[in-house]
Amino acid sequence: MGTAVGGDKAVPRYVQIANEIVQQIRAGVLKPGDMVPSESELVDRYGVSGGTIRKAMVEVRASGLVETRHGKGSIVKDRPPVRHRSSERFRRSLRQGGKAAYLAESEQSGASAKVSVLYIGPMEAPEDAARRLGVPVGTQVLARRRLYFRNGTPVETATSYLPWDVVKEIPELFAENPGGGGIYARLEEHGHEFAEFVETLQARPASKAEASELALSPGAPLVHLIREARTTEGLVVEVCDTLMAADQFVFEYRIPAAD
């Protein structure tokens, strides 16, 4: 078997096999510490040559989900999820200490984290972001789009939309690295003191494009999180639209019981 047709592209069989193994890991069918089936077992299971299986395993190893041990084969890595402490992650003391939320959380979980900036610049505000910012659809805003990695695997995309009138006098917000504490620290330095952050979460399956960006299988579960950053003056100065690989995060909230 060489290739199979999906849409208008021929998908190599080894890629299909690699995607299936990766999905088994992400779904917990293959758990941390489990051995990936041997080459001979995979040859029998999929009815392909050993060469096809070896190519598939190159792809699986590139995902960062397994490690190969000499003489033992490939084993699924332990991947404890990042604990997303939404009640604490935007505390002013963390910003003032120069810590961005995602990097601090990844550090606490023992993971290595990296942020890749995909786009910074003007954009017409999409409908939902415009409504939350209180501006007409199509109004020019500053967009900051990032891709977040954990242990070399993409786990989250985020696009921030900020009102142009707010950011035009803050040059750091147009830089890839806005400095210690991230964009919220820069906004507060320029007089936009935060009162609260409001987050809305929805679980849903990934589209084909979203799955490709986050190295997931189409239909894999995502958490769609939208955050509004509100100031003491009642202004929303940022809307952050985030997609997160559901298996990589645990959400924790503290909800006061007082009246």
Side-chain angles (χ1 to χ4, degrees):
M1 296 183 188
T3 60
V5 175
D8 59 351
K9 286 198 216 172
V11 180
R13 183 62 174 142
Y14 75 89
V15 173
Q16 292 183 331
I17 294 170
N19 287 343
E20 185 172 321
I21 294 170
V22 166
Q23 181 57 26
Q24 288 174 0
I25 295 171
R26 290 192 182 278
V29 177
L30 287 171
K31 297 178 174 57
D34 284 353
M35 299 299 300
V36 176
S38 68
E39 180 180 316
S40 60
E41 289 174 311
L42 293 173
V43 164
D44 290 342
R45 177 182 300 178
Y46 292 105
V48 296
S49 69
T52 297
I53 294 301
R54 286 191 289 275
K55 288 171 72 175
M57 287 307 300
V58 169
E59 299 294 318
V60 174
R61 286 192 289 273
S63 73
L65 301 177
V66 304
E67 59 181 337
T68 300
R69 297 181 179 175
H70 184 67
K72 291 188 176 180
S74 295
I75 187 169
V76 179
K77 288 182 180 178
D78 185 17
R79 299 188 308 143
V82 170
R83 189 164 293 277
H84 195 78
R85 293 183 173 88
S86 290
S87 302
E88 300 179 2
R89 65 197 305 259
F90 296 119
R91 288 169 53 195
R92 186 168 289 109
S93 59
L94 290 177
R95 291 195 295 279
Q96 292 173 342
K99 292 184 178 179
Y102 175 77
L103 298 177
E105 287 176 335
S106 295
E107 240 177 52
Q108 290 168 2
S109 74
S112 62
K114 186 183 82 168
V115 182
S116 177
V117 175
L118 304 178
Y119 175 79
I120 300 174
M123 180 180 288
E124 292 185 357
E127 182 176 355
D128 185 65
R131 178 179 60 80
R132 294 171 184 273
L133 290 170
V135 301
V137 175
T139 299
Q140 179 174 282
V141 295
L142 174 65
R144 294 180 57 91
R145 179 164 171 75
R146 293 92 66 200
L147 179 61
Y148 294 83
F149 293 82
R150 179 169 171 268
N151 294 336
T153 300
V155 296
E156 175 182 337
T157 64
T159 303
S160 292
Y161 302 99
L162 302 102
W164 196 263
D165 286 346
V166 169
V167 304
K168 64 183 180 182
E169 304 298 335
I170 311 177
E172 296 93 338
L173 297 186
F174 293 80
E176 284 198 15
N177 182 357
I183 64 174
Y184 293 156
R186 303 292 80 75
L187 285 163
E188 285 202 313
E189 287 170 0
H190 286 78
H192 303 285
E193 183 179 349
F194 292 109
E196 63 178 356
F197 299 90
V198 179
E199 294 185 337
T200 303
L201 292 84
Q202 179 185 12
R204 62 170 175 81
S207 69
K208 187 174 181 180
E210 292 164 348
S212 176
E213 190 165 42
L214 289 174
L216 300 170
S217 296
L222 287 178
V223 174
H224 187 188
L225 183 152
I226 299 177
R227 181 172 62 254
E228 298 177 15
R230 299 178 179 175
T231 71
T232 54
E233 296 179 348
L235 296 175
V236 176
V237 294
E238 184 227 23
V239 171
C240 188
D241 193 323
T242 304
L243 294 175
M244 313 168 82
D247 68 332
Q248 288 291 291
F249 296 90
V250 171
F251 295 86
E252 179 181 303
Y253 294 89
R254 178 178 292 113
I255 302 172
D259 293 338

